[in-house]
């Protein structure tokens, strides 16, 4: 259901000038998708949809061009490699130490990777907590991080 809904969202913003989440919700409902504003908000974030100035002078939703998205992802990966100091895990929770004030950058980089094994991230100043799906995922993730650090 989610992939179909997100594909329809991308199709709608490509073909129509949609300015608000409410308009998007109405368009989705007209296409047979029963959803909520909160779900649409999450979809917009996941799909990296932005607002841009349209030809008529009003703002409309638009998908981020793939080239721009890949450049941003590459930059986040570089930040990630430069800011991580250490990584360890206990069961399915990974604790990553970073340079001061860079835990948010590390979490942002991990979130942009869209790895299925990561349930979520939480950043402090120099410490990031990553909740993994299971212990094996945490072990593999830490091994990969340690390999990058050496």
């Amino acid at each position: 259901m989610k992939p179909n809904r997100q594909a329809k969202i991308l199709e709608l913003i490509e073909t129509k000038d949609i300015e608000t989440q409410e308009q998007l919700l109405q368009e989705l409902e007209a296409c047979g998708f029963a959803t909520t504003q909160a779900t649409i908000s999450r979809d917009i974030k996941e799909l990296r949809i932005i607002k841009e100035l349209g030809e008529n002078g009003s703002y409309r939703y638009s998908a981020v061009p793939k080239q721009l998205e890949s450049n941003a992802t590459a930059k986040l990966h570089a930040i990630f490699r430069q800011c991580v100091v250490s990584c360890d895990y206990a069961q399915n929770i990974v604790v990553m130490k970073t340079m001061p004030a860079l835990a948010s950058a590390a979490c942002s980089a991990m979130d942009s990777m869209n790895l299925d094994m990561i349930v979520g991230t939480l950043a402090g100043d120099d410490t990031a907590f990553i909740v993994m799906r299971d212990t094996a995922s945490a072990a593999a993730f830490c091994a990969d991080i340690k390999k990058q650090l050496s």
Side-chain angles (χ1 to χ4, degrees):
M1 181 75 170
K2 180 179 177 178
N4 294 340
R5 183 184 64 246
Q6 289 185 345
K8 181 53 88 173
I9 288 171
L10 291 172
E11 177 187 320
L12 287 169
I13 65 171
E14 173 121 1
T15 59
K16 298 183 180 202
D17 286 339
I18 298 177
E19 298 179 31
T20 66
Q21 290 182 11
E22 183 62 34
Q23 283 178 297
L24 185 55
L25 180 62
Q26 290 170 358
E27 291 289 340
L28 284 170
E29 287 175 351
C31 295
F33 290 90
T35 190
T36 65
Q37 183 274 328
T39 300
I40 289 174
S41 182
R42 283 190 296 272
D43 287 340
I44 287 170
K45 182 177 179 180
E46 286 178 24
L47 294 169
R48 292 183 174 88
I49 293 174
I50 60 171
K51 279 197 172 184
E52 67 179 5
L53 191 59
E55 293 175 10
N56 63 1
S58 63
Y59 284 91
R60 64 183 296 273
Y61 285 117
S62 177
V64 174
K66 290 297 181 193
Q67 180 62 32
L68 179 61
E69 184 178 325
S70 66
N71 287 346
T73 301
K75 287 178 183 177
L76 285 172
H77 286 271
I79 290 169
F80 183 77
R81 286 190 302 274
Q82 294 171 3
C83 73
V84 175
V85 175
S86 67
C87 183
D88 204 352
Y89 72 98
Q91 294 186 3
N92 70 319
I93 298 174
V94 173
V95 177
M96 189 178 320
K97 299 298 272 181
T98 68
M99 301 293 289
L102 293 177
S104 287
C107 285
S108 181
M110 285 182 284
D111 291 341
S112 75
M113 293 176 200
N114 294 319
L115 300 174
D116 288 335
M117 70 173 89
I118 296 178
V119 175
T121 62
L122 177 66
D125 182 57
D126 63 353
T127 305
F129 288 94
I130 304 104
V131 178
M132 308 299 285
R133 296 239 176 256
D134 52 43
T135 303
S137 296
F141 183 80
C142 277
D144 287 345
I145 298 303
K146 288 176 181 178
K147 191 178 353 176
Q148 287 184 26
L149 295 178
S150 54

